[in-house]
Amino acid sequence: MTYTYYPGCTLRTKALDLDCYARVSAEALGFTLEEVSDFQCCGGTYPLAKDEIATKLSSVRALAEARDAGHDLVTICSACHNVIKQVNNDMQTDENIIMKVNNYLKEDDIQYHGETKVLHYLEVLRDVIGFDTIKSKVKNPLTGKKIGAYYGCLLLRPSRVMQMDDPENPKMIEDFITAIGGTPVVYAMRNECCGAYTVLEDRNIPAKRSGAILDNATDCGAEMLVTACPLCRYNLDKNIGTRNIKVFYFTELLAEALGVKEKALAMMKEKECIQAVHPCTA
């Protein structure tokens, strides 16, 4: 199984570990991630203005490349996934946006009408590989680990477009935790916003929101949280304080359970060296 893979810019830098753990885990599970040849930043947030077209073009170019390769498009970062899937929905349903985007892309000889299927890496694990299969491949089960799923807001909403899970009572990540041998901890704030980009305006907002999420998780017995969002992880990590809890990317726990974590660490070390030597090209 081969997928076109959109890593996004953060997975090249601050979230390099989210990317590397995902790559080695995919190999261990028997599917291939072929990176988009020349991707651009998705913009980080979906533009709500109906006349905003330019910031959607990078997503459409990636979607068109996946279509032309005959593959579904896989993302991991919650923000990238949210933007690309919403843009893809626009290109399926909004005639005005379809016309304007394709007018922009005529010079690149690209015409796109929403043909590509967009999947989050978690959907590949659940719907293609299957959690039962993952369970059978686990070498280092996370037995006894009490793990809370942190969905955040972007992974599930708007639900009519994302269609990944029930936005009010999701279970995808809890089922993933069970598959790798951990004990899922369900807590009320697992799908609440961490404060996200408000950190740029007022650091007190994500501090308050992230603190409430962490308190809720620890009160319910969680020893660790897993997330797919680099910004969520940043805000949660930044505001842990003296709380007895740690935050991980779900791909790290997957790589640990599959016995390929060391391979990912070696990949990270190599990539960091390349970036230090060629910061503009790696």
Side-chain angles (χ1 to χ4, degrees):
M1 292 175 289
T2 301
Y3 298 94
T4 296
Y5 172 48
Y6 181 91
C9 48
T10 305
L11 273 69
R12 290 292 210 189
T13 53
K14 296 296 185 181
L16 184 62
D17 46 347
L18 175 58
D19 174 64
C20 291
Y21 289 128
R23 290 178 187 266
V24 298
S25 296
E27 183 180 350
L29 292 170
F31 64 98
T32 302
L33 300 174
E34 290 187 353
E35 188 173 305
V36 173
S37 59
D38 186 22
F39 73 85
Q40 300 165 304
C41 177
C42 70
T45 56
Y46 172 74
L48 294 175
K50 280 292 186 179
D51 60 350
E52 176 53 52
I53 299 299
T55 54
K56 297 182 179 182
L57 299 181
S58 60
S59 296
V60 175
R61 289 189 178 98
L63 289 160
E65 182 173 328
R67 175 201 60 194
D68 294 344
H71 300 152
D72 295 339
L73 180 69
V74 168
T75 62
I76 301 179
C77 168
S78 297
C80 292
H81 181 70
N82 186 281
V83 171
I84 292 175
K85 196 156 187 180
Q86 291 209 68
V87 169
N88 199 45
N89 181 68
D90 287 340
M91 298 303 294
Q92 294 168 341
T93 63
D94 193 316
E95 291 299 329
N96 182 52
I97 291 176
I98 293 169
M99 176 192 68
K100 289 181 177 179
V101 166
N102 283 320
N103 281 340
Y104 266 97
L105 295 176
K106 278 182 180 178
E107 292 185 5
D108 297 330
D109 198 27
I110 295 173
Q111 292 289 287
Y112 183 75
H113 296 271
E115 298 93 340
T116 300
K117 184 176 183 180
V118 181
L119 295 172
H120 192 276
Y121 192 101
L122 281 164
E123 291 180 290
V124 176
L125 299 183
R126 180 190 64 186
D127 301 333
V128 181
I129 304 301
F131 288 141
D132 287 341
T133 298
I134 292 172
K135 184 177 181 179
S136 72
K137 292 180 178 292
V138 166
K139 296 179 179 178
N140 303 312
L142 278 71
T143 307
K145 298 294 184 181
K146 298 178 181 178
I147 307 168
Y150 181 62
Y151 292 87
C153 50
L154 293 177
L155 200 60
L156 303 173
R157 302 181 180 92
S159 59
R160 63 176 178 78
V161 176
M162 306 312 291
Q163 296 183 351
M164 283 183 63
D165 209 339
D166 183 335
E168 300 304 324
N169 187 29
K171 62 192 291 284
M172 173 186 284
I173 302 180
E174 283 83 2
D175 290 344
F176 163 76
I177 292 166
T178 299
I180 60 174
T183 301
V185 175
V186 177
Y187 60 104
M189 298 190 71
R190 61 205 167 112
N191 57 354
E192 295 291 331
C193 180
C194 67
Y197 295 102
T198 60
V199 68
L200 301 173
E201 178 69 21
D202 184 350
R203 293 185 179 184
N204 291 321
I205 298 173
K208 182 178 179 179
R209 294 194 64 86
S210 297
I213 291 163
L214 291 162
D215 286 340
N216 183 212
T218 53
D219 287 347
C220 290
E223 301 168 335
M224 59 180 74
L225 294 182
V226 289
T227 185
C229 179
L231 186 54
C232 290
R233 185 180 181 186
Y234 172 83
N235 280 332
L236 292 171
D237 268 340
K238 190 78 173 177
N239 295 291
I240 282 179
T242 59
R243 297 176 180 89
N244 188 26
I245 193 169
K246 295 182 178 180
V247 185
F248 298 89
Y249 289 126
F250 77 94
T251 54
E252 180 173 355
L253 298 193
L254 178 60
E256 173 71 26
L258 294 174
V260 295
K261 186 173 180 178
E262 292 302 319
K263 186 174 182 178
L265 292 172
M267 181 186 292
M268 273 182 265
K269 185 175 181 180
E270 180 182 357
K271 284 179 177 286
E272 286 168 351
C273 290
I274 291 171
Q275 288 174 340
V277 177
H278 304 291
C280 294
T281 58

